[in-house]
Amino acid sequence: MRKRRPRADLRRAAGTVAILAALVSPAMAESPATRPPSQSREEVNLATFDRAWSLIADTHWDPTLGGLDWAAVRDELRPKAGDATNDRELRRVIEEMLARLGQSHFALLPDPATDDPTSTSDEDAGGLPGCSAARSAEIFAAMERRHSGDGDPGLELRLLDRDQVVVTRVVAGTPAAAAGVRTGWRLLAIDGAPLERSLECIRRVDDVAFQRQIEISWLRGLLAGPAGSDVRARFHGGSHRELVLRRAPPPGEVVRFGNLPPAALQFERTSAETRQRARVAVVRFNIWLPPVSAAFESAMSELRAADGVVIDLRGNPGGVSAVAQGVAGHFVAETISLGTMKGRRDHLELVAQPRRVARDGSTVEPYGGPLAILIDEGSASTSELFAAGLRDHDRARLFGSPSAGAALPAVMDRLPNGDVFMHASMDYIRPNGERVEGRPVVPDVTTPLRRADLRAGTDAALEAALSWIDEEL
């Protein structure tokens, strides 16, 4: 069983990113649980394991679990759960169980109030095939920092040519911007630790789709940490630069929704001009949470006056599907389906209704001009169903790079030990009949990420979208 543990560890760490991509059903999210003081460690362990196992057995959309003998998995792993001496060991067992499914949107969100200290020995750390336990532990720690930390310098990172970590965006007004960090710079090391060795380990993951989830989660956590703390980063941007960057709370409105961890919502409106001098409104936001609906409502008068609209979903991991349905209504002239959620017993059609009444009660028409959507490997879940749904109805054109391919709608439940368990209860089928889980949404126009473009300040995906808008007009 030892060789299975690394994938289980990675499934949990990657899941910390997928947590925000969940299509949350608040009605199923239980209130925080407190551990009964009379229960022994073994009783809590077994109750927690049994609850997680049963939720999957009872709610997974496929009663056969793809042919997996779920009862045998329980019989094999339940004794290990009972023997766990702390929450971390218990989580490892549950994560190993989840890894047997081989699907996204199955993850644990640890409850820090009930967390126990854990050993940092090689045996406890786990490891990727061909990598030391210590190196694997560094990867796991970076992947989890994005969830546990509440600050970062204000950078977005992507992998270029599978071996270069490059800066793709510097958020205005953040410590990184103040320090002069530029897009196109390569990030070489953090606090003296080179990134190349971690990249070598990640490249050994044989499942391409899962490897992509690991990469994105790892990249998001590389520079994260407690707000107010410093991180020492070595870059190459024409020459080597070593900068000490202060971590700060991310800009934006802090939103709390259900059992999800607090998230800073960033909603940006800018404008661009095409070569033919068409006026284009550009909207970018980082997560699909309820305030996005109000933000779009406020922005629509400006958007309706534009010659074209670009919605930038690059790096957006998802959120609440109902928000995407409402936003889509601003851009369709008739009722459409963004796809179908298929459960064991029920099907849910993701309907987008035309929005013809503004917030002030006035009559309006949905925007009918050219609509471009930008996606990349960081676009997941709700971002994928929004992009795929509108594309399949020929209402939008997609630009960028293939999406994450992680689009299972999930719900959140409290476990007896206090952890939150995210589990998928339905499958998502796009309007053209294709699944998205494990099958990324492919843009109409693929624009490879190039360091030269980044260093020159050129956004190839946006430029391609603007050229298309000119053609449409």
Side-chain angles (χ1 to χ4, degrees):
M1 291 300 101
R2 170 70 174 166
K3 65 182 180 180
R4 294 181 184 267
R5 291 180 62 182
R7 182 164 181 126
D9 293 334
L10 286 170
R11 176 63 64 183
R12 173 169 64 88
T16 62
V17 169
I19 287 291
L20 294 181
L23 304 174
V24 185
S25 171
M28 293 189 67
E30 300 176 0
S31 58
T34 55
R35 183 179 302 167
S38 59
Q39 282 191 316
S40 68
R41 175 81 255 180
E42 182 180 15
E43 289 173 329
V44 173
N45 290 351
L46 293 177
T48 301
F49 179 90
D50 290 343
R51 176 64 173 155
W53 184 92
S54 297
L55 283 169
I56 295 173
D58 296 340
T59 67
H60 196 283
W61 71 89
D62 178 6
T64 71
L65 299 180
L68 180 64
D69 190 338
W70 199 233
V73 172
R74 176 195 58 201
D75 295 342
E76 174 191 344
L77 298 180
R78 192 173 188 271
K80 293 183 180 181
D83 292 340
T85 61
N86 56 47
D87 283 305
R88 288 293 181 88
E89 291 183 7
L90 172 62
R91 288 171 192 139
R92 289 188 182 279
V93 179
I94 296 175
E95 289 148 9
E96 181 173 347
M97 176 178 71
L98 302 182
R100 305 291 178 87
L101 293 169
Q103 295 166 339
S104 71
H105 288 68
F106 288 87
L108 290 176
L109 178 60
D111 180 2
T114 60
D115 205 10
D116 295 329
T118 185
S119 167
T120 57
S121 68
D122 281 357
E123 177 62 25
D124 283 339
L128 287 168
C131 296
S132 69
R135 179 65 53 202
S136 298
E138 288 181 13
I139 296 173
F140 304 155
M143 293 166 74
E144 293 185 344
R145 277 200 299 271
R146 184 59 181 176
H147 163 62
S148 58
D150 56 358
D152 64 61
L155 296 177
E156 289 187 9
L157 305 170
R158 290 288 188 274
L159 267 186
L160 178 63
D161 298 331
R162 314 301 301 165
D163 62 356
Q164 299 181 45
V165 177
V166 297
V167 177
T168 56
R169 185 168 184 263
V170 181
V171 182
T174 61
V181 180
R182 297 288 182 265
T183 57
W185 284 13
R186 284 186 62 191
L187 179 60
L188 303 177
I190 294 176
D191 291 329
L195 302 184
E196 177 56 34
R197 291 174 294 181
S198 295
L199 281 169
E200 289 177 359
C201 292
I202 294 173
R203 284 196 292 266
R204 290 190 172 95
V205 177
D206 54 3
D207 185 316
V208 175
F210 189 48
Q211 182 188 70
R212 177 175 291 185
Q213 292 184 42
I214 295 167
E215 290 172 354
I216 293 298
S217 182
W218 177 70
L219 290 171
R220 284 180 173 152
L222 275 176
L223 296 171
S229 63
D230 292 333
V231 58
R232 183 163 48 93
R234 181 155 54 90
F235 297 94
H236 185 273
S239 61
H240 288 276
R241 297 173 171 85
E242 187 155 311
L243 302 175
V244 176
L245 303 175
R246 177 62 53 94
R247 296 183 177 103
E253 174 191 1
V254 177
V255 180
R256 291 172 172 81
F257 185 80
N259 277 326
L260 291 176
L265 173 63
Q266 299 160 19
F267 189 95
E268 305 168 9
R269 283 186 287 167
T270 58
S271 60
E273 188 175 84
T274 70
R275 293 183 179 180
Q276 301 300 323
R277 299 192 180 281
R279 295 175 297 107
V280 177
V282 182
V283 177
R284 183 186 184 277
F285 55 99
N286 62 330
I287 186 171
W288 293 88
L289 287 179
V292 168
S293 298
F296 260 99
E297 187 75 36
S298 299
M300 282 313 300
S301 59
E302 176 186 332
L303 268 58
R304 278 190 289 268
D307 297 316
V309 172
V310 174
I311 298 179
D312 189 349
L313 297 180
R314 290 174 294 184
N316 187 320
V320 183
S321 61
V323 177
Q325 292 172 251
V327 171
H330 290 295
F331 300 94
V332 296
E334 58 185 23
T335 300
I336 67 168
S337 170
L338 297 179
T340 306
M341 303 296 190
K342 292 189 175 182
R344 186 174 299 190
R345 288 173 289 273
D346 302 316
H347 290 184
L348 173 64
E349 201 76 20
L350 299 175
V351 176
Q353 301 273 6
R355 303 286 295 274
R356 292 195 165 91
V357 179
R359 182 183 299 178
D360 61 5
S362 61
T363 301
V364 296
E365 285 298 319
Y367 178 78
L371 174 63
I373 300 176
L374 311 185
I375 59 174
D376 67 2
E377 62 273 18
S379 307
S381 193
T382 303
S383 291
E384 293 179 289
L385 71 85
F386 180 82
L390 290 178
R391 178 63 191 93
D392 287 352
H393 289 283
D394 290 325
R395 180 58 194 96
R397 187 90 166 167
L398 309 185
F399 300 84
S401 55
S403 67
L408 297 180
V411 293
M412 315 284 279
D413 283 280
R414 285 278 177 181
L415 298 179
N417 75 330
D419 286 354
V420 173
F421 178 39
M422 182 179 76
H423 56 103
S425 60
M426 306 181 88
D427 194 11
Y428 168 66
I429 309 297
R430 57 190 289 182
N432 68 3
E434 296 179 1
R435 298 183 72 232
V436 172
E437 178 67 14
R439 301 175 184 177
V441 178
V442 179
D444 298 287
V445 178
T446 299
T447 53
L449 188 65
R450 296 186 177 93
R451 192 180 176 200
D453 290 340
L454 292 169
R455 295 185 66 178
T458 301
D459 188 333
L462 178 59
E463 292 296 329
L466 295 178
S467 295
W468 171 75
I469 289 172
D470 265 342
E471 295 172 4
E472 289 296 293
L473 293 174

